[in-house]
């Protein structure tokens, strides 16, 4: 018998459950590599370490997580899934259906997740009655960020309609300023597109078109108007937009190289990480129109062998939903806590606006899942839409052709 075996035997005889002495371990796959994101994920690493956990980091750079999801598929196919994975929306259920997710119901029950999470969020975390993911935050997608000094200098207020947005952009462009900081990556095009769908069409139209995939909505004149607005906005980006990362677009607003960015509030994490102050250095407002597009980050645990790994998964799940983590992480990330019992006193005015709007839109029935961030649709359908949005944005395709292509692409993806 080796020393390790002797120890293991004696431990087993003293403990009802060997897991009590397991050393929590986790290999964590995520795509939080920008300045603000890295600060936020460090909060989880620190909490995990302070509870005796050892964390193996597997960051896969690439905003929106496309590259991370490709890396995940390769690992799972190789029979070597990471312990914990940043995963969200219907992708959680898609992986569950492949039979590769661990059940974290024991932690969820012990912590009473059913009582502390809003029902709409809890639904995303469940797979056939079990808990299969732990929610981290609520990001809002439909935001406009602006450089305050530029707007002040040109006598421009934050736009409340798309016409006002266009008028402001044209005034700025005439003054030699890039109106819209944008990164030409498919998920960023999709992010802008869905805010335009919400703003131009309204919440009910958004639901018909991008959640219910209603063919009439997809081919409607309203959708043509959405593509018209996308074409207009294509004229507001600088010549070097192709392939630019989202955080570099945020930096353009920060540094006064561009006036606006349309991006979820992870952009606020970048402003804050750079020491910028909301209301002084930068402004936030919801994109024109009603409604709220939510994007809830979460972690799913993959079915892996070993007590240490299982202990790591359970500890992560427990920490993620814990009150302290929910506060400190979200202060850094730009999002708001998923739990309504976390005080917002230390949060900034953009976060308070987000929380208030989330409550109001939940009442009004206009709290909607983001399609661009994988909350509304399965991968195949979301991908089909994004391909069209990107093809349109990067060509001179007419709005008529775009809606025809959109309807075809969606129909073929079903
Ligand atoms: C989103 C994700 C955010 C942020 C962003 C940019 O999809 O939910 O947490 O990371 O991508 O990478």
């Amino acid at each position: 018998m080796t020393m390790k075996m002797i120890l293991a035997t004696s431990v087993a005889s003293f403990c009802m459950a060997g897991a009590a002495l397991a050393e929590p371990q986790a290999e964590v796959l995520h795509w939080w590599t920008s300045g603000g994101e890295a600060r936020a994920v460090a909060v989880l690493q620190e909490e995990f370490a302070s509870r005796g956990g050892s964390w193996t980091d597997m960051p896969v750079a690439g905003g929106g997580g496309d590259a991370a999801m490709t890396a995940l598929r390769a690992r799972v196919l190789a029979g070597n899934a990471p312990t914990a994975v940043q995963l969200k929306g219907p992708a959680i259920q898609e992986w569950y259906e492949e039979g590769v997710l661990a059940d974290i119901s024991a932690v969820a029950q012990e912590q009473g997740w059913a009582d502390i999470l809003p029902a709409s969020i809890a639904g995303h975390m469940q797979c056939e009655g079990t808990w299969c993911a732990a929610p981290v935050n609520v990001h809002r997608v439909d935001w406009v960020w602006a450089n305050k000094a530029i707007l002040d200098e040109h006598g421009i207020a934050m736009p409340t309609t798309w016409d006002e947005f266009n008028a402001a952009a044209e005034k700025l462009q005439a003054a030699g300023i890039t109106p819209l900081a944008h990164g030409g990556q498919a998920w960023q095009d999709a992010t802008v597109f869905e805010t335009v769908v919400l703003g131009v069409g309204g919440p009910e139209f958004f639901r018909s078109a991008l959640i219910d995939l209603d063919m009439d909505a997809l081919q409607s004149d309203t959708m043509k108007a959405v593509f018209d607005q996308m074409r207009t906005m294509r004229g507001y980006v600088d010549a070097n937009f192709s392939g630019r990362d989202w955080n570099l677009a945020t930096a353009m607003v920060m540094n006064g190289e561009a006036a606006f960015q349309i991006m979820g509030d992870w952009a606020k994490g970048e402003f804050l990480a750079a020491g910028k102050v909301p209301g002084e250095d930068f402004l936030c407002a919801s994109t024109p129109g009603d409604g709220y597009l939510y994007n809830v980050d979460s972690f799913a645990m993959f079915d892996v062998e070993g007590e240490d790994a299982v202990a790591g998964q359970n500890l992560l799940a427990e920490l993620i939903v814990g009150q302290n983590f929910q506060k400190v992480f979200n202060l850094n990330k730009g999002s708001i806590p998923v739990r309504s019992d976390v005080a917002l006193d230390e949060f900034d005015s953009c976060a308070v606006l987000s929380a208030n709007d989330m409550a109001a839109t939940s009442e009004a029935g206009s709290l909607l899942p983001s399609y661009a961030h994988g909350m509304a649709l399965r991968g195949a359908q979301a991908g089909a839409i994004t391909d069209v949005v990107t093809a349109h944005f990067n060509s001179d395709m007419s709005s008529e052709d775009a809606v025809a292509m959109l309807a075809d692409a969606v129909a073929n993806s079903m």
Side-chain angles (χ1 to χ4, degrees):
M1 253 195 186
T2 63
M3 196 54 178
K4 206 172 167 188
M5 284 162 80
I6 294 167
L7 267 177
T9 318
S10 52
V11 162
S13 56
F14 279 101
C15 292
M16 294 270 291
L21 280 198
E23 292 174 10
Q25 282 182 5
E27 187 196 6
V28 186
L29 191 161
H30 62 89
W31 65 89
W32 287 331
T33 56
S34 77
E37 291 174 332
R39 273 176 22 139
V41 75
V43 173
L44 187 55
Q45 293 177 359
E46 280 154 24
E47 283 203 3
F48 192 64
S50 76
R51 292 278 299 272
S54 72
W55 172 295
T56 307
D57 206 28
M58 192 189 170
V60 180
D66 294 338
M69 293 300 102
T70 305
L72 171 63
R73 183 147 294 277
R75 287 283 303 265
V76 175
L77 283 176
N80 179 26
T83 338
V85 177
Q86 186 189 346
L87 199 66
K88 57 189 172 162
I92 299 169
Q93 284 74 30
E94 288 183 291
W95 280 109
Y96 173 82
E97 285 159 17
E98 298 203 22
V100 290
L101 292 194
D103 183 353
I104 52 171
S105 301
V107 179
Q109 267 140 22
E110 174 146 351
Q111 285 189 302
W113 289 5
D115 300 322
I116 52 183
L117 300 178
S120 53
I121 293 177
H124 286 292
M125 307 299 139
Q126 289 169 318
C127 299
E128 292 182 351
T130 68
W131 290 86
C132 46
V136 172
N137 60 3
V138 181
H139 270 305
R140 183 179 199 171
V141 178
D142 50 316
W143 285 112
V144 188
W145 308 94
N147 178 303
K148 184 171 186 298
I150 294 182
L151 296 203
D152 288 350
E153 195 189 327
H154 296 273
I156 292 170
M158 282 300 258
T160 59
T161 64
W162 287 105
D163 285 345
E164 280 177 20
F165 181 85
N166 295 346
E170 262 138 49
K171 189 170 183 185
L172 291 162
Q173 205 159 37
I177 293 162
T178 299
L180 185 61
H182 182 66
Q185 297 174 346
W187 73 272
Q188 294 187 60
D189 299 340
T191 300
V192 175
F193 171 76
E194 72 173 347
T195 72
V196 177
V197 171
L198 180 67
V200 169
E204 277 322 304
F205 178 77
F206 184 98
R207 191 186 298 283
S208 309
L210 297 183
I211 300 174
D212 300 339
L213 301 179
D214 176 82
M215 282 296 152
D216 291 338
L218 291 170
Q219 302 178 86
S220 61
D221 287 345
T222 306
M223 192 57 91
K224 280 186 203 148
V226 168
F227 280 107
D228 289 347
Q229 175 63 18
M230 290 300 287
R231 175 65 63 236
T232 301
M233 288 162 93
R234 173 68 178 76
Y236 299 151
V237 308
D238 68 322
N240 299 320
F241 80 104
S242 283
R244 175 187 289 135
D245 288 330
W246 66 273
N247 52 319
L248 300 182
T250 308
M252 289 171 69
V253 176
M254 241 184 260
N255 302 336
E257 292 163 47
F260 297 113
Q261 183 184 22
I262 293 175
M263 185 49 67
D265 42 23
W266 44 95
K268 193 185 71 186
E270 295 304 296
F271 284 108
L272 298 180
K276 304 289 180 191
V277 179
E280 288 176 25
D281 302 309
F282 68 97
L283 302 173
C284 63
S286 55
T287 49
D290 295 333
Y292 184 117
L293 300 180
Y294 69 85
N295 169 25
V296 174
D297 284 311
S298 46
F299 279 90
M301 309 303 162
F302 277 67
D303 212 358
V304 290
E305 301 273 304
E307 267 176 18
D308 291 348
V310 172
Q313 294 177 326
N314 289 337
L315 178 56
L316 273 181
E318 178 198 325
L319 292 173
I320 284 171
V321 180
Q323 267 173 318
N324 185 60
F325 170 78
Q326 287 281 326
K327 182 181 92 177
V328 184
F329 175 90
N330 285 305
L331 280 171
N332 286 295
K333 189 70 169 67
S335 36
I336 56 173
V338 273
R339 299 172 62 143
S340 46
D341 60 352
V342 175
L344 292 180
D345 337 352
E346 291 171 49
F347 284 76
D348 60 55
S349 54
C350 307
V352 172
L353 176 65
S354 177
N356 290 343
D357 284 357
M358 185 177 163
T361 54
S362 171
E363 280 284 301
S366 54
L367 176 63
L368 297 160
S370 157
Y371 119 79
H373 292 275
M375 298 302 299
L377 298 172
R378 293 197 159 228
Q381 281 79 48
I385 296 172
T386 300
D387 286 349
V388 177
V389 170
T390 284
H392 171 267
F393 199 70
N394 289 290
S395 69
D396 58 3
M397 188 188 297
S398 69
S399 301
E400 285 71 24
D401 288 350
V403 298
M405 202 186 206
L406 185 64
D408 274 358
V410 170
N412 291 334
S413 73
M414 308 266 219

